[in-house]
């Protein structure tokens, strides 16, 4: 889907579902969040952007380290939950915007994302644009899914319902925007290299 379609998707039932399941999802994803945040190493006094911040879980965790955080997402419903969770806190803000085309100032130490970067219509262009937000030596840390076959929670269900579904009209491009589009490490590395990142 193009980014406009993603906007429509996350502002519909998908966004509402994530808001309803926010507490359960935060608990389920906590081990992943903790591992990624340890690698990101947010430090007091830094400035960070949380791409695809959703309901604000990782934004709040980064903020708790003494970091000024800007959480961005496409989903108005999820951002409303994030803002509610951050009420009374300073140096944390949330905006509805498309990270792929947002204008940035180059004064951020960290760009972080938990499952929010696999949906770009033009991933090289998006990561090139996001890189403009980083200071020299700034860090990009994100979590993305491996290929579906390595994720039993989705592949098992997919295989179970497959006999009851019509065959796809066209072959599915595994690199098309979607949860598993970054399943190949070499492909992701090539995107980041082309977008100008180093020390990947």
């Amino acid at each position: 889907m193009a980014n406009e379609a993603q906007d429509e998707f996350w502002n519909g039932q998908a966004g509402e579902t994530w808001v309803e399941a926010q507490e359960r999802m935060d608990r389920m994803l906590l081990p992943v969040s903790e591992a990624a945040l340890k690698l990101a190493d947010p430090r007091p006094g830094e400035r960070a952007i949380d791409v695809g911040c959703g309901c604000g879980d990782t934004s709040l965790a980064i903020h708790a380290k003494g970091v000024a955080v800007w959480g961005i997402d496409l989903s108005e419903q999820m951002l409303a939950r994030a803002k509610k969770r951050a009420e009374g806190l300073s140096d944390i803000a949330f905006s509805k915007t498309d990270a792929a085309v947002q204008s940035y100032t180059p004064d951020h130490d960290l760009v972080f994302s938990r499952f929010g970067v696999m949906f770009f219509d033009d991933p090289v262009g998006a990561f090139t644009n996001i890189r403009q937000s980083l200071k020299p030596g700034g860090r990009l840390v994100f979590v993305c899914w491996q290929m579906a076959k390595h994720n039993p929670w989705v592949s098992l269900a997919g295989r179970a319902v497959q006999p009851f579904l019509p065959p796809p009209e066209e072959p599915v491009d595994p690199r098309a925007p979607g949860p598993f589009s970054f399943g190949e490490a070499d492909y992701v590395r090539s995107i980041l290299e082309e977008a100008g990142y180093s020390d990947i």
Side-chain angles (χ1 to χ4, degrees):
M1 289 188 284
N3 288 2
E4 293 82 5
Q6 291 291 338
D7 191 316
E8 183 178 345
F9 178 78
W10 290 108
N11 282 290
Q13 186 60 46
E16 293 172 13
T17 299
W18 271 82
V19 169
E20 291 169 4
Q22 173 253 308
E23 292 183 8
R24 186 171 73 252
M25 294 299 291
D26 288 350
R27 284 193 305 271
M28 182 178 74
L29 295 174
L30 183 61
V32 175
S33 302
E34 288 179 338
L37 288 167
K38 183 177 181 180
L39 184 64
D41 189 24
R43 302 159 198 163
E46 289 190 328
R47 292 167 50 84
I49 300 173
D50 188 3
V51 174
C53 66
C55 296
D57 183 52
T58 51
S59 298
L60 290 164
I62 294 169
H63 181 266
K65 301 291 185 180
V67 177
V69 181
W70 179 24
I72 59 178
D73 203 284
L74 291 174
S75 172
E76 292 178 2
Q77 302 101 312
M78 295 166 79
L79 286 166
R81 173 62 61 89
K83 290 174 183 177
K84 183 73 174 170
R85 297 173 75 185
E87 279 182 356
L89 299 177
S90 59
D91 293 327
I92 186 168
F94 296 96
S95 299
K96 181 185 186 302
T97 189
D98 185 344
V101 296
Q102 170 67 37
S103 295
Y104 299 103
T105 53
D107 54 1
H108 297 87
D109 305 276
L110 172 66
V111 173
F112 182 87
S113 183
R114 184 188 71 187
F115 303 126
V117 295
M118 305 90 68
F119 303 97
F120 296 132
D121 187 42
D122 173 12
V124 172
F127 279 108
T128 300
N129 186 53
I130 290 168
R131 187 170 54 82
Q132 307 309 309
S133 72
L134 289 169
K135 296 177 179 178
R139 310 179 307 283
L140 167 69
V141 176
F142 64 85
V143 177
C144 60
W145 298 112
Q146 294 185 52
M147 289 181 283
K149 67 182 181 181
H150 299 303
N151 289 277
W153 64 272
V154 70
S155 58
L156 288 175
R159 285 198 298 272
V161 300
Q162 192 62 47
F164 306 100
L165 298 175
E169 295 180 9
E170 298 178 9
V172 177
D173 179 359
R175 294 179 176 177
F180 306 107
S181 62
F182 283 4
E184 302 170 64
D186 288 343
Y187 172 58
V188 176
R189 179 177 295 274
S190 72
I191 290 170
L192 296 175
E193 287 175 346
E194 192 173 344
Y197 293 86
S198 59
D199 300 321
I200 299 167

